Amino acid sequence: AHQMGVKAGEVAMKLVESGMMATVNTLLDFETAALVADEFGYTVENVAFDITNFYDTSPDPEEKQKPRAPVVTVMGHVDHGKTSLLDAIRKSNVTGGEAGGITQHIGAYKVRTEEDSEITFLDTPGHEAFTQLRARGAKATDIVVLVIAADDGVMPQTVEAINHAREAGVPIIVAINKVDKPTANPDRIKQALTEYELIPEEWGGTTLFAEVSALQQQGIDELLEMLALQAEIEELKANPDRDAQGLIIEAELDIGRGPVATILVQRGSLKQGDIIVSGQYYGRVRTMHNDKAQNVEEVGPSTPVEITGLSGIPEAGEPFFVVDDEKDAKRITDHVAEQRRKEVMASRAKEVTGSLEDLSKMIQQGEIKELKVILKGDVQGSVEAIKEAFGKIGNEEVRVKVIHSGVGGITENDVNLAASSETGAVVVGFNVRPDNRAAEVAEQHGVKILTHSVIYDAINQISGILEGLLEPII
Ligand code: GDP
């Protein structure tokens, strides 16, 4: 109303006319506000920060999508040969023809099969990497290779891997490893897997099985062709002609080069000099190397590269995306940083101010040496009186510390102060109450607000918390 130069009552009236009971204190959502403003001849523009203005996650049009290499994760029980298999694949002659054929460990690598298909492997075997990437909602893997030692069998982590893959909706190809061993019995493995609905084609199922020896480099090409075949079945596609988006695979600080990150481009093409954003960090891609330590200028979907130029170390599984200019990048990362700071603060405040009982327990156990209080009252006289009385509560072990006091209602600022106190704090109101916003924020952060109208009661409750004798909160 103020912005439009009309009376608040007129705005409320318009709302009531259109069937919405509204007063001066009613919070309007953007759509409603826009509709009402329109009635007064104004257009409303939403200038709030909206990440989707910069990070477009909507799918690319079908006609722009081109086939892409599958991204594969190797999983299985410990000692069944995951690391050996990844080494064998890396070393397999598929990269022989390329210059500088020695692969560097950058967390992922790409191979070319004899039939000229490309396959990308995430080079961290095991479930941790898979779940870590997935924990952030990232879908990094298209196919799981489940490694099972032919001389062993279905073990706990084998089952875990099956469940992880199923949960993520990712197809499984089984690699029966160590078939060179005299005690190897691939049929027994196949039999055991039928229980988990992994049934080979020859038995009427749809699961692809490869029999390999990572140690003797046997059956590797067949496994790769199977992966290419599975990828074809999945019809994996991405649009290479757009700004790049993808995932952080791993990142660390290099003394000489600064933050170094291995990233997987999932769609679009990444070029040297592009400005990328990931979490609260951004930067211009300064150097870009592939898994053969070759300098590359531009890479497309399903390609892992190692880049430098970021302002910090993003977490594995964090998405990244390219933005047009540094100003946008700064705006986005500032926003994300602020968001995360709030989240951390909220969870910390929740931990310590979870309940008065917890707080009291922590005091009894000596974990908290002072109970921090934010005190608000209706008149200066009573605030002073209570503050003085609070000062006398406690003993050598524990005391009350009023970190802020004042006259007036309990505001959002008071609550935020309590929430940001590392050991937690309570807000005490004498003859005053929290306003709506303060109550809301207190709820969000789990901050306790205690209100009283008798000085004695306020003192009693605070000493109760200190002594573990809690009065019920009214
Ligand atoms: P991971 O824990 O699953 O990564 O298993 P590793 O790759 O570390 O392998 C565990 C052990 O099995 C090592 O001693 C390997 O040398 C051995 N191994 C791996 N693959 C084969 C294979 O194909 N044949 C034989 N005989 N041993 C293997």
Side-chain angles (χ1 to χ4, degrees):
H2 184 68
Q3 292 288 324
M4 296 187 296
V6 300
K7 291 206 177 75
E10 293 178 56
V11 175
M13 205 55 190
K14 275 273 186 279
L15 284 162
V16 173
E17 277 169 23
S18 55
M20 179 177 169
M21 287 316 290
T23 69
V24 191
N25 293 322
T26 308
L27 198 65
L28 304 184
D29 60 24
F30 177 76
E31 280 73 26
T32 314
L35 278 174
V36 175
D38 190 52
E39 298 262 348
F40 290 93
Y42 287 90
T43 311
V44 178
E45 198 181 312
N46 189 352
V47 293
F49 182 85
D50 182 359
I51 190 95
T52 58
N53 290 338
F54 306 97
Y55 180 32
D56 177 13
T57 52
S58 58
D60 287 294
E62 190 61 37
E63 69 273 11
K64 299 227 162 160
Q65 308 226 22
K66 307 235 167 73
R68 62 167 178 88
V71 179
V72 177
T73 300
V74 174
M75 299 210 275
H77 197 70
V78 65
D79 277 345
H80 279 197
K82 297 179 293 291
T83 312
S84 308
L85 183 63
L86 278 162
D87 283 345
I89 293 167
R90 199 187 347 223
K91 273 187 262 155
S92 67
N93 56 9
V94 286
T95 56
E98 295 173 48
I102 302 161
T103 53
Q104 306 285 313
H105 177 87
I106 65 165
Y109 63 84
K110 205 172 191 181
V111 297
R112 191 177 284 279
T113 71
E114 287 185 334
E115 306 284 330
D116 225 23
S117 312
E118 285 189 320
I119 302 170
T120 301
F121 286 89
L122 297 184
D123 205 3
T124 332
H127 312 170
E128 221 170 280
F130 187 80
T131 42
Q132 192 186 19
L133 292 179
R134 244 174 64 74
R136 291 168 173 275
K139 189 172 189 291
T141 305
D142 300 306
I143 305 170
V144 162
V145 169
L146 179 65
V147 178
I148 308 182
D151 63 337
D152 201 353
V154 174
M155 299 298 281
Q157 283 171 283
T158 316
V159 178
E160 200 184 295
I162 295 171
N163 292 337
H164 278 312
R166 288 258 159 86
E167 183 60 30
V170 176
I172 296 169
I173 288 184
V174 180
I176 300 178
N177 189 32
K178 309 196 187 184
V179 292
D180 59 286
K181 284 203 166 180
T183 49
N185 187 348
D187 267 359
R188 206 189 55 212
I189 306 287
K190 287 181 186 169
Q191 187 58 51
L193 282 175
T194 57
E195 217 179 288
Y196 301 91
E197 283 155 53
L198 293 172
I199 301 162
E201 286 178 323
E202 69 258 35
W203 295 355
T206 54
T207 307
L208 298 173
F209 279 75
E211 293 184 14
V212 301
S213 165
L215 207 63
Q216 302 193 348
Q217 201 89 19
Q218 266 173 41
I220 304 295
D221 290 344
E222 287 80 354
L223 172 63
L224 294 179
E225 290 309 336
M226 270 181 205
L227 285 164
L229 181 69
Q230 185 72 42
E232 233 169 78
I233 296 169
E234 306 290 318
E235 293 186 34
L236 303 168
K237 285 180 180 169
N239 174 11
D241 302 313
R242 55 165 294 151
D243 284 345
Q245 293 181 353
L247 289 177
I248 306 292
I249 300 299
E250 52 180 54
E252 57 176 27
L253 186 67
D254 182 282
I255 301 298
R257 297 185 293 163
V260 177
T262 293
I263 64 177
L264 174 71
V265 176
Q266 293 184 301
R267 61 174 177 171
S269 290
L270 185 68
K271 302 171 204 68
Q272 264 185 39
D274 277 349
I275 299 165
I276 69 169
V277 169
S278 184
Q280 46 188 311
Y281 306 111
Y282 73 96
R284 207 174 269 283
V285 176
R286 199 166 58 217
T287 63
M288 186 154 79
H289 289 94
N290 66 12
D291 52 355
K292 288 154 201 90
Q294 295 158 329
N295 182 44
V296 282
E297 305 232 305
E298 182 172 344
V299 291
S302 295
T303 311
V305 278
E306 191 187 73
I307 61 154
T308 61
L310 279 173
S311 58
I313 304 157
E315 271 182 68
E318 187 92 66
F320 80 82
F321 53 95
V322 168
V323 294
D324 291 338
D325 63 58
E326 218 145 316
K327 236 181 33 236
D328 286 347
K330 176 128 182 44
R331 213 171 143 215
I332 299 163
T333 51
D334 280 352
H335 177 78
V336 172
E338 172 66 14
Q339 204 87 340
R340 302 225 163 137
R341 200 182 57 79
K342 278 189 191 151
E343 278 165 24
V344 167
M345 234 158 72
S347 64
R348 195 165 57 188
K350 264 215 181 79
E351 269 165 37
V352 287
T353 57
S355 73
L356 280 185
E357 283 78 9
D358 291 347
L359 196 61
S360 188
K361 217 175 279 162
M362 285 165 87
I363 293 170
Q364 301 317 306
Q365 290 164 353
E367 287 170 48
I368 296 178
K369 303 278 179 222
E370 22 178 59
L371 175 61
K372 289 182 181 155
V373 170
I374 289 141
L375 174 64
K376 298 298 284 285
D378 55 347
V379 291
Q380 190 63 30
S382 37
V383 170
E384 286 305 324
I386 297 170
K387 200 170 155 185
E388 206 192 344
F390 279 179
K392 290 181 186 150
I393 304 174
N395 47 37
E396 279 111 45
E397 271 109 50
V398 56
R399 61 190 195 97
V400 178
K401 187 178 185 190
V402 178
I403 56 173
H404 172 68
S405 66
V407 174
I410 296 161
T411 66
E412 183 184 354
N413 284 341
D414 298 325
V415 175
N416 278 335
L417 181 60
S420 60
S421 157
E422 229 164 271
T423 50
V426 295
V427 181
V428 176
F430 184 72
N431 280 335
V432 292
R433 303 199 62 83
D435 61 31
N436 283 347
R437 184 71 196 136
E440 218 174 276
V441 177
E443 169 86 56
Q444 253 168 38
H445 294 287
V447 170
K448 287 284 167 290
I449 298 178
L450 318 171
T451 52
H452 295 278
S453 50
V454 180
I455 293 187
Y456 175 78
D457 286 347
I459 296 165
N460 230 6
Q461 187 174 35
I462 292 298
S463 37
I465 295 172
L466 250 55
E467 290 158 16
L469 303 164
L470 286 169
E471 296 288 331
I473 301 159
I474 308 134

